[in-house]
Amino acid sequence: MSEKKQPGVWEGFKAFLMRGNVVDLAVAVVIGAAFTNIVNSVVKGVISPLVGAFGTKDLDKYSSCLKSPCKFDEATGTVTSGIPILWGTVLSATLTFVITAAVVYFLMVLPMSKYLAAQAARQKAKEGTQEVIEVSELEVLKEIRDALVAQRGSGHSQD
């Protein structure tokens, strides 16, 4: 009776690392981290100042007090008494998310999808042209065949 040898941990790990989607995922994470810096820079350097020009620059200071009196230590920003609800922080995070999503969509996703659609249209047009060429070649070959058949047919009748 032969025993089937189970692959070792090292062989399993090597097989896991060599799968294509693991490498693709690693590349995507690295590119995503680098792209995050670009998006954050655009949001902090361009979008946030524009939003701040119309309103306040620091939404984190807006809060309501659940249990009065709410007092904050100005030096550290911590609560000394009361129970504050920091709704400004939630609003700020929500706005940052929406602004970041808009920057990603309008600066990356939309142009890339338009580029890919144009590329697909060019490829389809190229394939259509290739198909027309193939059809016309087929028609020429049929005409040659018909001419050869006609010549053979006329050659046999004269003999």
Side-chain angles (χ1 to χ4, degrees):
M1 289 187 219
S2 66
E3 291 182 26
K4 232 181 190 180
K5 187 176 179 183
Q6 295 291 331
V9 174
W10 181 247
E11 287 82 17
F13 183 66
K14 277 178 29 180
F16 171 73
L17 287 180
M18 294 314 211
R19 288 193 339 209
N21 42 355
V22 172
V23 174
D24 292 342
L25 182 62
V27 169
V29 167
V30 171
I31 295 296
F35 185 68
T36 299
N37 290 333
I38 294 170
V39 171
N40 287 340
S41 297
V42 170
V43 170
K44 286 181 185 175
V46 177
I47 306 296
S48 292
L50 290 175
V51 171
F54 295 107
T56 181
K57 291 182 181 180
D58 190 10
L59 292 174
D60 292 338
K61 295 191 188 274
Y62 289 109
S63 64
S64 298
C65 196
L66 186 62
K67 182 177 178 185
S68 296
C70 285
K71 294 184 181 174
F72 294 91
D73 183 4
E74 295 294 327
T76 61
T78 59
V79 178
T80 56
S81 68
I83 302 174
I85 297 176
L86 305 173
W87 59 269
T89 303
V90 175
L91 182 62
S92 176
T94 304
L95 280 175
T96 300
F97 171 77
V98 169
I99 291 168
T100 302
V103 167
V104 168
Y105 179 75
F106 289 111
L107 294 183
M108 288 302 294
V109 173
L110 191 60
M112 185 58 77
S113 64
K114 285 184 179 182
Y115 169 76
L116 291 175
Q119 190 176 20
R122 278 192 302 259
Q123 183 66 25
K124 189 174 182 180
K126 185 178 177 183
E127 288 173 359
T129 305
Q130 183 68 24
E131 188 175 302
V132 168
I133 291 171
E134 288 174 5
V135 168
S136 62
E137 286 177 2
L138 184 60
E139 289 174 3
V140 169
L141 289 173
K142 284 180 181 178
E143 289 175 8
I144 293 171
R145 179 199 64 197
D146 292 343
L148 289 173
V149 168
Q151 279 181 352
R152 257 191 239 154
S154 65
H156 288 293
S157 61
Q158 291 177 356
D159 286 333

